[in-house]
Amino acid sequence: MTEYTPIYLDHMATTPIDPRVLDEMLPYMTLNFANAASKSHRAGQSARDAVERARQRVANLYGCEPLEVIFTSGATESNNLALKGLAESYPQKKHVLSSPIEHPSVLDTLDYLKTKGFQVELLKVDTLGNVNLDHLKSAIRPETLAVSIMAVNNEIGTLQDLEAIGQITRSQQAFFHCDVTQMFGKLPLDVNRAQIDLASCSAHKCHGPKGVGALFIRRKHPRVRLAPQLHGGGHERGYRSGTLNIPGVVGFGQACNIARSEMAKDEAHARLLAKMFLNVWGQTTLDFEILGHPIQRLPQNLNLHIPGVHIGKVLEAMPEVALSVGSACSAIKDRPSHVLRAIGKSFDEARSCLRIGFGRFNSLDEVESVAKRLAGLIQSAEEKGWTMQDSPHCEL
Ligand SMILES: *Cc1c(COP(=O)(O)O)cnc(C)c1O
């Protein structure tokens, strides 16, 4: 049996910490361990300085002021705080618009808000994953509190027209919440130009550590009020109590700093990797379809539909390569991805889709070798019994 070295191609699920990020974090776990909330000694001041430097670096990627950034434990918390915080602050508005391709941390939060008397409407998306803007225009109304639409989809990579959504939303005096997690640090973002009022992100999706993220909260034109969801010492200007995860925050700041200076390089590298993968497959007789928008997309993402092939079984044959079927988040529930279903795929088609996520440290050689091995395995799917006919139908 051939031994293969592990290859990681699942960067939409999470990314490895950049070694330069870890270098900045380590002293904050040992020498500089002080609490940033301690006001009576110099060690506390030095922790505070480190947090504020990180806040500035995160703000640079949002295109906002540092005062508009608060640190959280990740995008799940940011999404919860943004939506529940708005809902509690503006009780007279009880209508929220979103899309069926959002991350579960948005969709499940909206389901929760429904139990509190909110009316939630999910806008139509087309087969490329674009939210229907005419539907947005006709559905938005004076009682609409917020429009929550993600920037880049984590499964199919489609990038929404944020400026158009921002314009429609602002013109109706609703708030625009945007889950920018998959875009942050990978594509240029400007929350002012897109008229975004709240934006959630997470450090571990852009080569930072896990367990830390941020929420952009607009301070003027308009000022957004947000009811805190964690009560306590009043940290993060009262929006989010709890001692800050300083090593995490410092690492997040450094990840943003690197992302800002290397964004163009990372993007070009990802394009090259995706092109290499598709070139290899293009030279085979494989029948496959590329999902998501062909141009308005995240270059790090590739989602391929291989009709009739049970991708889960193919991936089981190469466990040392990290790839994904549908969404990692819905994988726990073992049901076809809600995103693929929303863009018109059937249950079985959704199980024939392969998600690839390229990252900063992938090499052309490893992508080429994975593309070749995968093509070979898929071509033997019929004889191995890895086709949809061989699999019991998936019931929801
Ligand atoms: C990963 C992800 C999240 C959740 O981030 P966590 O930091 O793991 O909570 C939210 N939204 C999108 C689009 C994501 O890709």
Side-chain angles (χ1 to χ4, degrees):
M1 231 185 106
T2 326
E3 288 282 335
Y4 294 103
T5 44
I7 296 179
Y8 189 82
L9 289 173
D10 198 13
H11 289 82
M12 308 291 92
T14 192
T15 61
I17 294 189
D18 189 303
R20 295 167 289 180
V21 167
L22 184 64
D23 283 349
E24 282 219 2
M25 290 171 68
L26 284 174
Y28 290 91
M29 294 180 170
T30 51
L31 293 173
N32 310 337
F33 58 84
N35 190 326
S38 301
K39 297 269 159 87
S40 57
H41 46 71
R42 196 189 293 159
Q45 181 60 46
S46 138
R48 254 191 320 285
D49 291 346
V51 168
E52 293 321 310
R53 189 167 58 241
R55 200 185 305 279
Q56 177 67 60
R57 290 169 162 187
V58 175
N60 290 342
L61 278 191
Y62 274 125
C64 71
E65 296 299 321
L67 263 179
E68 296 178 302
V69 173
I70 65 150
F71 290 109
T72 66
S73 64
T76 298
E77 186 190 332
S78 297
N79 285 336
N80 272 264
L81 172 56
L83 295 167
K84 293 176 187 169
L86 275 181
E88 270 186 45
S89 299
Y90 301 88
Q92 67 284 11
K93 287 189 162 193
K94 288 266 189 276
H95 180 241
V96 179
L97 290 168
S98 188
S99 88
I101 61 170
E102 298 301 309
H103 189 267
S105 55
V106 166
L107 291 174
D108 290 359
T109 301
L110 294 177
D111 276 343
Y112 168 78
L113 288 180
K114 281 197 229 167
T115 70
K116 300 288 166 195
F118 285 81
Q119 194 199 342
V120 176
E121 255 184 280
L122 300 184
L123 299 168
K124 286 183 227 149
V125 294
D126 65 18
T127 54
L128 300 178
N130 293 305
V131 172
N132 185 318
L133 297 183
D134 288 329
H135 193 189
L136 171 59
K137 278 183 210 154
S138 63
I140 197 165
R141 49 183 210 240
E143 313 83 78
T144 306
L145 168 63
V147 173
S148 179
I149 293 178
M150 70 198 324
V152 165
N153 183 269
N154 47 306
E155 294 189 40
I156 56 173
T158 299
L159 169 68
Q160 302 297 332
D161 186 345
L162 300 181
E163 288 181 35
I165 297 168
Q167 203 159 15
I168 298 165
T169 305
R170 180 70 57 83
S171 72
Q172 293 294 315
Q173 272 106 50
F175 294 113
F176 180 14
H177 167 246
C178 190
D179 178 350
V180 300
T181 309
Q182 290 292 344
M183 178 189 209
F184 201 77
K186 298 181 213 156
L187 292 174
L189 170 66
D190 182 337
V191 290
N192 289 318
R193 186 191 296 224
Q195 305 191 69
I196 294 170
D197 299 306
L198 292 151
S200 312
C201 71
S202 192
H204 74 99
K205 300 289 175 79
C206 55
H207 297 290
K210 291 170 182 61
V212 59
L215 180 63
F216 156 73
I217 310 171
R218 179 172 292 287
R219 269 173 75 82
K220 46 180 195 270
H221 315 304
R223 183 184 182 90
V224 179
R225 276 185 285 135
L226 213 57
Q229 302 299 305
L230 290 178
H231 302 93
H235 307 74
E236 296 299 274
R237 301 201 334 285
Y239 287 112
R240 202 271 187 185
S241 287
T243 299
L244 275 177
N245 165 8
I246 307 234
V249 163
V250 167
F252 188 13
Q254 171 69 336
C256 291
N257 200 35
I258 296 169
R260 196 155 89 120
S261 61
E262 300 186 1
M263 195 179 288
K265 187 173 130 200
D266 287 346
E267 204 185 315
H269 183 59
R271 280 186 205 285
L272 201 62
L273 297 175
K275 199 170 142 196
M276 160 66 83
F277 190 99
L278 293 173
N279 277 349
V280 171
W281 275 32
Q283 283 161 22
T284 66
T285 55
L286 276 185
D287 172 27
F288 67 96
E289 170 200 7
I290 305 173
L291 303 182
H293 198 284
I295 299 150
Q296 297 303 323
R297 63 174 300 97
L298 183 74
Q300 280 85 350
N301 169 281
L302 201 54
N303 198 321
L304 305 169
H305 173 218
I306 305 107
V309 176
H310 192 297
I311 288 299
K313 291 189 178 160
V314 174
L315 296 188
E316 276 171 26
M318 46 188 300
E320 71 294 338
V321 179
L323 284 159
S324 178
V325 196
S327 156
C329 300
S330 63
I332 313 166
K333 297 176 190 158
D334 190 31
R335 63 159 87 147
S337 138
H338 66 287
V339 175
L340 300 175
R341 295 283 290 130
I343 62 166
K345 294 285 174 238
S346 70
F347 284 4
D348 279 356
E349 284 170 336
R351 292 198 297 163
S352 297
C353 294
L354 168 71
R355 183 183 71 171
I356 309 170
F358 301 109
R360 183 179 291 155
F361 303 113
N362 286 132
S363 71
L364 272 172
D365 281 351
E366 61 186 9
V367 169
E368 183 178 25
S369 81
V370 168
K372 285 182 176 159
R373 266 181 78 203
L374 255 178
L377 285 172
I378 292 170
Q379 275 162 333
S380 70
E382 209 148 324
E383 68 189 69
K384 298 259 178 54
W386 295 337
T387 65
M388 294 314 299
Q389 282 99 319
D390 301 307
S391 319
H393 190 76
C394 173
E395 291 295 338
L396 208 82

